[in-house]
Amino acid sequence: MLRFITIILVTLFILGASLSYLFQNYYYSNQEETFIEQGQEIANLVQKSIYEGNYDEALSFLRSSQRFFEGNVWIVNSRGLVLATSKHEELQGIRLEEPEMRRVFDGQVIKKSGHSDYFDESVLFVAVPIVIDEEVLGAVFVYSPLAGISTTLDDLRRLIIYAGLIAISLTFILSFTLTKSFTRPLRKMKQIAFDMAHGQFSERLGVRTDDEVGQLAHSFNYLADRLQETIYSLQGKEELQRRFVADVSHELRTPLTSIQGFVKALRDGVYDSEVDKREYYSIVLGEVERLIRLVNDLLDLSQIEMEQIKMEIEVLDIEYLINISVKNLQPKITEKNLNIAVEVPEGFSLVLGDRDRIEQILINLISNAIDFTPEGKEIRIFAQEGERKVKVIIEDQGPGIPRQELANIWNRFHKVDKSRTRSKGGTGLGLSIVREIIRQHDGEVWVDSVEGEGSRFGFSLIKANEEAVRSF
């Protein structure tokens, strides 16, 4: 602010000095031109009287007209004698010996300002020759003390000074106001940035203008919002990572502990018979296979989330995929004596999707329904058609899912009944994989369940357009 005010003060000083100098020159020049015009008019009026030697007539004219003159007037003859004056009558009759007199008697118009010995003060005067038939008969001198002119110029300079002081005052007020309007949001930004550096992201700048400061405030608020979102996202991901590591550690520890115990028993020969020995080997093999499934599911889920697996989207017949998936699971279905009812309307729309991944979803959901449906019950698989998407729903007659568990079943390693899931060889990642695959297909996945009445898992896929169907 100080630098800004200094620049303005220096500018105003230079401008004031320049204006004063220009006005002074303009005023002097204008006054000189006025005196010259006045002198020429007087010369034209008195030339006849001077030519005839009638000096009294010239004097009478001068005395009667002096109230119309802007300056004081002398009339001088060709010998340099002052014939008549509008003021200072005591100078009447003196002879002028100045070098300028010779120049004016040569027919030149003289302009001069400075000290005069006749008046003992500084004056501005002009001399205009009186000419008849190219003969210089005398001259008209028009003069005015510079003190009077200086008074006018001093008034003008005071006016400039007053205007400068007003401008300086306004500059101080404007500078203070502008500086305050600029620095207030900047100080606020500094404080908010300091708070953000210490983990506080809630405060924002109040924006009231659309100028550069307002735009900066908008950008700062946008940056703060995005930074807050990023921090919260990173915190969420960090929490998920910690939970993931803890869940994986828990899932690995149980089978590894089991394997360790049975391997020690086999090493130390702690078994009663060959039947027990084979059973131990069978348990160890089952746990190893479960670990392999867990690792494969983890890799599969990670690759899908990181979009490292490219979805090969093509036109699919969802009824055909449902039937293939049921056929693949027929041994489990037969083992539990379940009835599978597939209900897909005739002429059902084709869908867009990755065949292998959609089949993976169907097998996962149907397999879960088989695992949790009691023997001799029915699993119903049906499809519904919407305007842009189709829905596939798998309905079982299992124990259902408690309401408090519904929001968490899509999370990694979440198991509603951990003991039953472990006995069925599940890894707790199947539904997470289903959700991520459906997201990659721009679809939705959901579950409806009433405890004691069964569950309905569903997902949606985009319908194939006519051009894609024609090429199918």
Side-chain angles (χ1 to χ4, degrees):
M1 178 179 176
L2 182 60
R3 182 182 300 176
F4 176 66
I5 294 176
T6 302
I7 292 174
I8 292 178
L9 292 177
V10 171
T11 302
L12 288 175
F13 174 79
I14 295 174
L15 182 61
S18 301
L19 285 175
S20 177
Y21 176 77
L22 291 174
F23 276 124
Q24 178 176 317
N25 286 345
Y26 171 78
Y27 189 82
Y28 281 172
S29 298
N30 186 67
Q31 196 70 25
E32 287 173 352
E33 294 298 325
T34 301
F35 284 178
I36 290 172
E37 290 178 3
Q38 181 176 300
Q40 289 175 340
E41 290 177 1
I42 295 173
N44 291 334
L45 292 172
V46 301
Q47 62 182 354
K48 183 178 179 181
S49 300
I50 299 299
Y51 179 75
E52 294 175 352
N54 191 357
Y55 300 142
D56 291 336
E57 184 178 354
L59 179 60
S60 175
F61 166 77
L62 191 61
R63 296 287 171 80
S64 63
S65 304
Q66 64 182 356
R67 66 181 179 273
F68 302 108
F69 302 153
E70 287 198 22
N72 301 315
V73 181
W74 290 356
I75 297 177
V76 182
N77 65 12
S78 59
R79 294 190 302 275
L81 291 176
V82 178
L83 301 178
T85 64
S86 63
K87 194 177 182 182
H88 300 292
E89 294 180 6
E90 68 274 9
L91 296 177
Q92 197 169 320
I94 68 171
R95 183 184 299 275
L96 302 179
E97 300 293 344
E98 295 289 336
E100 287 79 5
M101 303 302 105
R102 291 189 294 272
R103 292 172 56 196
V104 75
F105 291 141
D106 289 337
Q108 300 180 29
V109 176
I110 304 302
K111 297 182 290 185
K112 185 178 179 182
S113 62
H115 185 76
S116 172
D117 293 333
Y118 297 107
F119 309 107
D120 197 24
E121 63 177 336
S122 296
V123 296
L124 171 67
F125 77 88
V126 299
V128 179
I130 303 173
V131 182
I132 294 182
D133 297 332
E134 298 183 356
E135 181 183 357
V136 178
L137 303 179
V140 177
F141 285 79
V142 183
Y143 70 92
S144 177
L146 286 178
I149 298 175
S150 297
T151 301
T152 302
L153 291 176
D154 289 341
D155 292 340
L156 181 61
R157 290 191 185 97
R158 279 194 293 272
L159 180 62
I160 293 174
I161 291 173
Y162 292 153
L165 291 175
I166 294 174
I168 290 173
S169 300
L170 292 176
T171 299
F172 272 106
I173 296 173
L174 183 61
S175 299
F176 178 77
T177 303
L178 289 176
T179 302
K180 192 173 181 180
S181 66
F182 281 130
T183 57
R184 185 188 298 113
L186 294 178
R187 287 196 297 267
K188 187 68 173 178
M189 288 182 197
K190 178 182 176 182
Q191 181 60 44
I192 293 176
F194 181 81
D195 293 339
M196 289 168 60
H198 290 78
Q200 300 178 14
F201 299 94
S202 59
E203 195 168 1
R204 296 292 182 271
L205 288 168
V207 182
R208 301 183 181 89
T209 62
D210 292 326
D211 56 9
E212 288 78 1
V213 175
Q215 293 173 7
L216 178 61
H218 277 296
S219 300
F220 187 86
N221 287 341
Y222 176 75
L223 173 63
D225 290 339
R226 294 302 302 272
L227 185 58
Q228 184 177 21
E229 292 174 4
T230 302
I231 294 296
Y232 287 165
S233 176
L234 290 175
Q235 290 175 345
K237 290 180 179 179
E238 185 177 353
E239 177 62 24
L240 287 176
Q241 186 178 18
R242 285 197 295 266
R243 288 174 54 190
F244 175 74
V245 171
D247 291 340
V248 170
S249 300
H250 174 74
E251 293 297 323
L252 292 176
R253 182 170 58 247
T254 301
L256 288 175
T257 301
S258 176
I259 292 172
Q260 182 186 35
F262 284 107
V263 168
K264 283 184 177 180
L266 291 170
R267 182 195 63 183
D268 299 337
V270 184
Y271 49 85
D272 297 331
S273 64
E274 287 297 321
V275 175
D276 292 338
K277 182 179 179 181
R278 285 194 298 271
E279 183 181 356
Y280 289 176
Y281 278 125
S282 178
I283 293 173
V284 170
L285 180 60
E287 293 294 345
V288 170
E289 290 174 346
R290 181 170 174 274
L291 286 175
I292 293 174
R293 287 196 301 273
L294 175 61
V295 172
N296 288 337
D297 284 349
L298 284 172
L299 290 175
D300 203 10
L301 179 59
S302 176
Q303 289 176 336
I304 293 173
E305 288 180 335
M306 299 296 292
E307 297 184 6
Q308 295 177 348
I309 296 179
K310 183 179 179 181
M311 298 294 171
E312 300 292 341
I313 304 299
E314 57 182 313
V315 179
L316 302 175
D317 183 344
I318 195 65
E319 182 180 13
Y320 173 78
L321 292 180
I322 292 173
N323 291 328
I324 287 294
S325 301
V326 171
K327 186 176 181 179
N328 289 334
L329 294 168
Q330 193 60 48
K332 291 181 65 176
I333 297 171
T334 302
E335 182 181 352
K336 296 188 69 173
N337 191 27
L338 299 175
N339 179 46
I340 305 295
V342 177
E343 303 171 9
V344 179
E346 186 176 354
F348 195 75
S349 295
L350 302 178
V351 299
L352 295 175
D354 183 303
R355 174 173 178 152
D356 292 338
R357 296 300 170 183
I358 301 303
E359 191 173 336
Q360 181 180 2
I361 291 173
L362 288 168
I363 289 177
N364 194 303
L365 295 179
I366 297 172
S367 179
N368 284 346
I370 294 171
D371 288 339
F372 290 94
T373 299
E375 293 185 12
K377 296 292 185 178
E378 180 180 82
I379 296 174
R380 180 170 170 246
I381 306 171
F382 59 98
Q384 298 174 343
E385 188 167 348
E387 182 178 352
R388 292 184 59 252
K389 295 182 178 181
V390 300
K391 298 178 181 178
V392 179
I393 301 171
I394 295 93
E395 182 181 81
D396 64 47
Q397 297 180 359
I401 302 171
R403 178 176 298 180
Q404 65 272 17
E405 299 282 353
L406 287 175
N408 300 316
I409 62 171
W410 306 103
N411 296 337
R412 296 171 176 176
F413 302 113
H414 184 79
K415 300 168 186 177
V416 177
D417 188 338
K418 296 178 174 55
S419 62
R420 292 185 62 175
T421 303
R422 183 172 300 281
S423 67
K424 294 174 175 57
T427 62
L429 296 173
L431 292 180
S432 297
I433 294 174
V434 168
R435 180 182 59 180
E436 293 303 321
I437 292 176
I438 291 298
R439 282 180 178 176
Q440 296 291 326
H441 283 76
D442 293 327
E444 295 86 31
V445 63
W446 64 91
V447 60
D448 297 316
S449 183
V450 177
E451 194 169 5
E453 297 182 9
S455 303
R456 301 175 78 185
F457 283 84
F459 63 91
S460 64
L461 294 171
I462 297 175
K463 293 166 63 173
N465 55 38
E466 294 181 3
E467 182 179 352
V469 172
R470 283 197 297 269
S471 62
F472 177 63

